């Protein structure tokens, strides 16, 4: 079993739709949670970073963490064609010998069509 | 991409050859990482370095080697021992130590390696 599971999609939605992207993880030692966006043939860019259960909002993006269920989500409101990309969730333990190491999900390919 | 540069952008290698991928950063970050990305898979960690002259193996280090002689540079060599080297290689950096709870990683633009 992978430490982080993410549905690779692909996911196709019409412009303006609400998009829900999800990951589950198996290790309760993971304390920090990130979402990256990766355009084709580019490096990932950090979208959201959170370390507590609950919601964190940034513009059209909302990251949600449920540590009791080991479930993380990213919601995109009013989706735009420019949101078309691969979205990667990533988790990290706090400090210790695994400092800095991120464990990634497979990535979900999202297409928003006009 | 910020202050992280990777070169070359595209690289072609013949079987049996070693190649070195460059990663340079001007962010003054302590830690640097190398990942490999294959279609349909997430990023997998090859090597990482928390400080100059020190580095650790990641999850898939076999067939790769690194050095960290300068804070700004973390080159990755793909050796002939790596049986399936065709992939997208990503370098990342992070700035702080373990006590910095907001530390996270920033990625370069990547190098696409193809073995002919």
């Amino acid at each position: 079993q992978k430490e982080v599971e993410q549905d690779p999609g692909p996911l196709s939605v019409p412009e303006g739709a609400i998009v829900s992207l999800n990951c589950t993880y198996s290790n309760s030692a993971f304390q920090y949670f990130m979402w990256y966006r990766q355009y084709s043939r580019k490096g990932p860019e950090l979208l959201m970073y959170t370390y507590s259960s609950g919601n964190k909002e940034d513009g059209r993006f909302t990251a949600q963490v449920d540590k009791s269920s080991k479930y993380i989500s990213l919601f995109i409101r009013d989706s735009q064609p420019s949101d078309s990309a691969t979205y990667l969730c990533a988790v990290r333990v706090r400090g210790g010998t695994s400092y800095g190491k991120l464990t990634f999900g497979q990535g979900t390919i999202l297409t928003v069509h006009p | 991409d910020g202050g992280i540069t990777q070169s070359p952008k595209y690289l072609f290698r013949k079987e049996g050859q070693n190649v070195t991928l460059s990663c340079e950063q001007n962010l003054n970050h302590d830690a640097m990482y190398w990942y490999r990305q294959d279609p349909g898979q997430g990023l997998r960690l090859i090597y990482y370095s928390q400080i100059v002259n020190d580095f650790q193996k990641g999850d898939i280090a076999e067939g790769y080697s690194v050095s960290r002689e300068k804070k700004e540079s973390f080159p990755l060599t793909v050796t002939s021992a790596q049986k399936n080297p065709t992939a997208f290689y990503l370098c990342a950096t992070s700035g702080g130590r373990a006590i910095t709870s907001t530390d996270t990683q920033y990625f370069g633009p990547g190098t696409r390696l193809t073995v002919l």
Side-chain angles (χ1 to χ4, degrees):
Chain A
Q1 181 187 6
K2 293 182 179 180
E3 289 190 285
V4 180
E5 297 277 359
Q6 183 177 7
D7 185 345
L11 182 62
S12 181
V13 301
E15 183 175 356
I18 297 174
V19 177
S20 173
L21 304 167
N22 309 293
C23 289
T24 59
Y25 61 96
S26 56
N27 189 346
S28 58
F30 292 132
Q31 296 291 313
Y32 300 112
F33 309 94
M34 286 139 278
W35 284 96
Y36 285 85
R37 176 175 63 195
Q38 185 178 24
Y39 292 114
S40 181
R41 301 179 183 274
K42 302 289 186 184
E45 57 179 323
L46 182 66
L47 268 182
M48 301 287 285
Y49 179 101
T50 184
Y51 55 89
S52 59
S53 284
N55 294 349
K56 181 178 181 180
E57 191 172 317
D58 184 1
R60 296 185 295 112
F61 298 91
T62 299
Q64 188 176 80
V65 176
D66 182 348
K67 288 187 178 181
S68 62
S69 302
K70 299 187 181 68
Y71 194 85
I72 57 177
S73 300
L74 178 71
F75 298 97
I76 307 174
R77 293 184 298 280
D78 187 24
S79 57
Q80 303 295 310
S82 58
D83 294 327
S84 298
T86 297
Y87 289 81
L88 297 151
C89 63
V91 298
R92 179 167 77 83
V93 299
R94 180 181 181 184
T97 57
S98 297
Y99 160 74
K101 288 179 61 178
L102 296 181
T103 302
F104 285 85
Q106 294 172 274
T108 300
I109 300 171
L110 171 67
T111 302
V112 181
H113 51 86
Chain B
D1 302 336
I4 305 170
T5 57
Q6 291 187 243
S7 61
K9 187 173 182 179
Y10 298 97
L11 184 58
F12 298 90
R13 188 195 93 172
K14 293 181 180 179
E15 285 192 21
Q17 285 183 334
N18 293 354
V19 291
T20 297
L21 282 59
S22 169
C23 178
E24 302 280 333
Q25 57 109 349
N26 61 5
L27 301 171
N28 200 33
H29 283 177
D30 290 319
M32 298 185 74
Y33 312 81
W34 274 105
Y35 292 89
R36 169 184 173 137
Q37 187 175 33
D38 296 281
Q41 300 193 40
L43 278 65
R44 292 183 290 167
L45 182 65
I46 304 173
Y47 269 98
Y48 65 105
S49 168
Q50 297 181 30
I51 196 169
V52 175
N53 292 322
D54 186 51
F55 49 83
Q56 287 79 42
K57 293 182 179 180
D59 301 319
I60 55 165
E62 185 175 352
Y64 300 97
S65 66
V66 294
S67 63
R68 186 84 187 277
E69 298 177 359
K70 300 187 298 182
K71 187 175 184 178
E72 301 79 18
S73 179
F74 191 41
L76 173 74
T77 297
V78 184
T79 75
S80 57
Q82 171 49 238
K83 297 306 179 187
N84 186 22
T86 295
F88 190 45
Y89 289 87
L90 289 157
C91 176
T93 71
S94 62
R97 303 299 180 116
I99 60 174
T100 306
S101 63
T102 57
D103 179 58
T104 189
Q105 293 181 23
Y106 301 91
F107 286 84
T111 292
R112 187 164 299 276
L113 173 64
T114 302
V115 174
L116 303 173

